Amino acid sequence: MELLGSKVGLRPLDDSDVDDFFKWWNDPEFSGEYAGFEPISRIDVRDLVGKEGWFMIFSRSENRKIGFISYYPVRRDYLNLFEIGYRMKPDERRKGYTTEAARLLVDYLFATKKEIERIESVTDVENIPSQRVLEKNGFKREAELRKRFFNKGEYRNEYMYSLLREEWQKAK
Ligand SMILES: CC(C)(COP(=O)(O)OP(=O)(O)OC[C@H]1O[C@@H](n2cnc3c(N)ncnc32)[C@H](O)[C@@H]1OP(=O)(O)O)[C@@H](O)C(=O)NCCC(=O)NCCS
């Protein structure tokens, strides 16, 4: 399964991505200033291959691997609720790639998971690029979550963003 936009495409992770994932994820520059740096083992990367919700982002012009985007359940009881997250290679940032990747993922989620009414994402209050990605996709900032994260030796506040199905539908 591939999701194709004009600049980027998304496809599930496969075996050929293990080395890149391992190298990128264990580079603090890839996590950036705000997302938190959590080293991962090769075994854990292997477990992500084929796992629901993880996608490689590739550039359509050169079929180059450029970043990751994922969705994961934040609750799974009587409601299905998903959060999305993304990381772009430092040399591929500011080209609009993540904005389009998030649009493709949101379209996919609302189109295929008929039961969901809301998609969430949480960003550090100073993570402007991530906030822009969300805002350009119609997400609304709905709350400031105090001391919800611990990064680089200090507690951090985060913004909760969400996009509702009806807002997504209206914008189509
Ligand atoms: C967040 C991230 C994925 C954005 O990726 P990207 O591909 O550069 O995003 P886009 O090119 O689609 O740009 C998004 C917007 O952010 C803006 N932006 C990007 N970098 C910026 C910066 N350093 N300062 C201010 N604005 C910035 C862009 O200009 C664009 O907004 P605009 O269209 O209004 O100008 C990338 O910065 C990243 O990987 N950061 C580290 C990991 C991370 O923080 N992930 C999110 C955790 S919640």
Side-chain angles (χ1 to χ4, degrees):
M1 185 263 301
E2 275 190 355
L3 305 172
L4 297 177
S6 59
K7 289 192 269 197
V8 301
L10 313 185
R11 60 161 178 76
L13 298 181
D14 63 34
D15 288 337
S16 74
D17 300 323
V18 171
D19 285 347
D20 292 311
F21 197 115
F22 181 73
K23 206 166 86 191
W24 297 357
W25 203 270
N26 290 320
D27 175 357
E29 236 198 294
F30 185 68
S31 311
E33 247 180 288
Y34 307 110
F37 179 55
E38 296 163 33
I40 189 168
S41 71
R42 229 172 243 281
I43 292 172
D44 287 344
V45 174
R46 288 217 160 271
D47 284 346
L48 294 179
V49 170
K51 194 174 170 195
E52 184 191 341
W54 284 86
F55 297 89
M56 173 65 78
I57 309 172
F58 57 92
S59 81
R60 291 214 59 195
S61 56
E62 296 155 56
N63 200 18
R64 209 172 52 242
K65 301 177 187 186
I66 56 177
F68 304 121
I69 189 159
S70 59
Y71 69 86
Y72 29 93
V74 281
R75 59 186 288 182
R76 230 193 241 286
D77 38 29
Y78 64 96
L79 278 184
N80 236 1
L81 184 57
F82 293 102
E83 181 173 338
I84 64 167
Y86 32 70
R87 293 183 188 193
M88 181 57 56
K89 280 181 75 191
D91 57 342
E92 302 288 356
R93 290 179 190 165
R94 302 202 85 151
K95 298 179 185 175
Y97 288 158
T98 308
T99 299
E100 189 177 49
R103 180 178 62 73
L104 291 170
L105 184 58
V106 161
D107 286 354
Y108 168 77
L109 286 173
F110 278 133
T112 59
K113 300 190 181 299
K114 300 291 184 205
E115 74 283 13
I116 63 168
E117 284 300 317
R118 165 191 170 95
I119 297 172
E120 293 183 354
S121 194
V122 176
T123 78
D124 189 285
V125 292
E126 288 181 28
N127 194 346
I128 306 297
S130 182
Q131 291 166 31
R132 291 296 300 140
V133 166
L134 296 169
E135 285 161 4
K136 286 196 291 177
N137 276 294
F139 281 72
K140 292 208 165 49
R141 182 190 294 175
E142 60 185 17
E144 182 165 351
L145 310 170
R146 297 174 303 156
K147 296 195 173 182
R148 186 175 180 272
F149 195 53
F150 191 80
N151 191 24
K152 297 186 183 144
E154 60 176 18
Y155 286 98
R156 304 285 308 169
N157 290 6
E158 296 186 310
Y159 289 137
M160 168 64 78
Y161 277 87
S162 69
L163 176 66
L164 303 183
R165 179 181 289 279
E166 67 223 45
E167 294 163 347
W168 168 78
Q169 200 97 57
K170 211 167 156 195
K172 286 264 125 213

